[in-house]
Amino acid sequence: TYEQTEGTLEVVHCDGKLFLVTAEAAKEEAPTDKRRPGLTPVRSQRPEYLWNPPAKRIVVLDAETGRVLWTKSDAETAELMPTTLAVSKGGSSSNRVFFQNADEIFCMNARTGDTLWRTERMTSRSRPTWSAPTLVVYGDVVLSGDREVATEKTLDKDEKRKVEWIVSARGGQAPVGELIAFSAEDGRRLWSCESRECYNSPADVLV
């Protein structure tokens, strides 16, 4: 087991490096009845309820040795949006790491972790747990597809969290959103068009 990999949620392998999104492992609740320890309690999705994910960070390792090359653990990664970690290989955007949080898309040097640019890309403040932006890097372009932006939370009263995640059994709730293209070189906005999520799954971005 490699150092600092407990709680790994996402893994990208590129050029001999492992790029990980990790989070503090959820604490197991003590059984309150006769359930055997270690079993996960099942909770009904009706009525809807909040799920509060732990703060996240990025850890980059040498894939061969497991040596930690660099980490990023701060307010910018705490609410890193699921499945938005991407690593480029080739073109003017080679050796760069990208991710999206609640407010911006970030581009970093894959070797050092230094931030090269950041650009505004707001995400919805209220969303079901299956919903997440789709971030794709292709050549010199970064593509971000997401649902329509809801500017306010509806259930979560914690002002420290920017995004609320709602567990719900409802289906087909996919408001029309936007696919935005940015320059991988400097983060300039290039163009945009309508985008819509699939059935209870993030939007497809096919290049």
Side-chain angles (χ1 to χ4, degrees), residues 2-3 9 11 15-16 23 48 50 85-86 104 108-109 115 131 141 170 177 179 186 189-190 194 196 198 203:
Y2 286 160
E3 180 186 354
L9 301 173
V11 181
D15 288 338
E48 299 174 340
L50 288 170
L85 181 70
E104 299 173 291
M108 301 180 296
N109 185 304
T115 298
S131 171
V141 179
R170 290 190 299 166
L179 173 66
D186 56 18
R189 179 169 173 149
L190 302 176
E194 287 188 354
R196 174 166 273 176
C198 304

Side-chain angles (χ1 to χ4, degrees), residues 7 23 28 31 57 64-65 67 75 81 83 87 90 110 119 131 147 149 155 164-165 167 170 178 180 182 190 192 194:
E28 185 177 312
R57 64 175 182 158
E64 183 68 25
T65 66
R67 180 171 62 92
M81 302 301 288
T83 68
V87 183
T119 189
S131 171
R147 61 171 36 215
V149 175
L155 300 177
E164 66 178 8
W165 299 90
V167 179
R170 290 190 299 166
E178 188 175 26
I180 306 176
F182 301 90
L190 302 176
S192 66
E194 287 188 354

Side-chain angles (χ1 to χ4, degrees), residues 1-92:
T1 301
Y2 286 160
E3 180 186 354
Q4 298 189 40
T5 61
E6 184 177 1
T8 295
L9 301 173
E10 302 174 29
V11 181
V12 176
H13 178 267
C14 185
D15 288 338
K17 301 183 187 67
L18 294 176
F19 299 83
L20 314 179
V21 175
T22 71
E24 182 179 341
K27 296 181 180 179
E28 185 177 312
E29 296 181 5
T32 56
D33 50 27
K34 295 182 180 180
R35 288 184 291 109
R36 287 180 295 171
L39 295 181
T40 301
V42 177
R43 181 174 176 180
S44 172
Q45 296 181 9
R46 296 179 179 175
E48 299 174 340
Y49 63 92
L50 288 170
W51 175 68
N52 297 319
K56 301 176 183 178
R57 64 175 182 158
I58 296 174
V59 179
V60 181
L61 311 170
D62 182 294
E64 183 68 25
T65 66
R67 180 171 62 92
V68 176
L69 303 177
W70 56 268
T71 64
K72 182 174 176 59
S73 179
D74 53 25
E76 294 168 356
T77 62
E79 291 192 71
L80 190 153
M81 302 301 288
T83 68
T84 64
L85 181 70
V87 183
S88 64
K89 183 179 180 181
S92 63

Side-chain angles (χ1 to χ4, degrees), residues 37 67 77 80 91 96 120 130 147 153 156 160 189:
R67 180 171 62 92
T77 62
L80 190 153
R96 296 188 176 194
E120 183 180 273
W130 54 260
R147 61 171 36 215
K153 298 189 291 184
D156 188 7
K160 294 181 180 179
R189 179 169 173 149

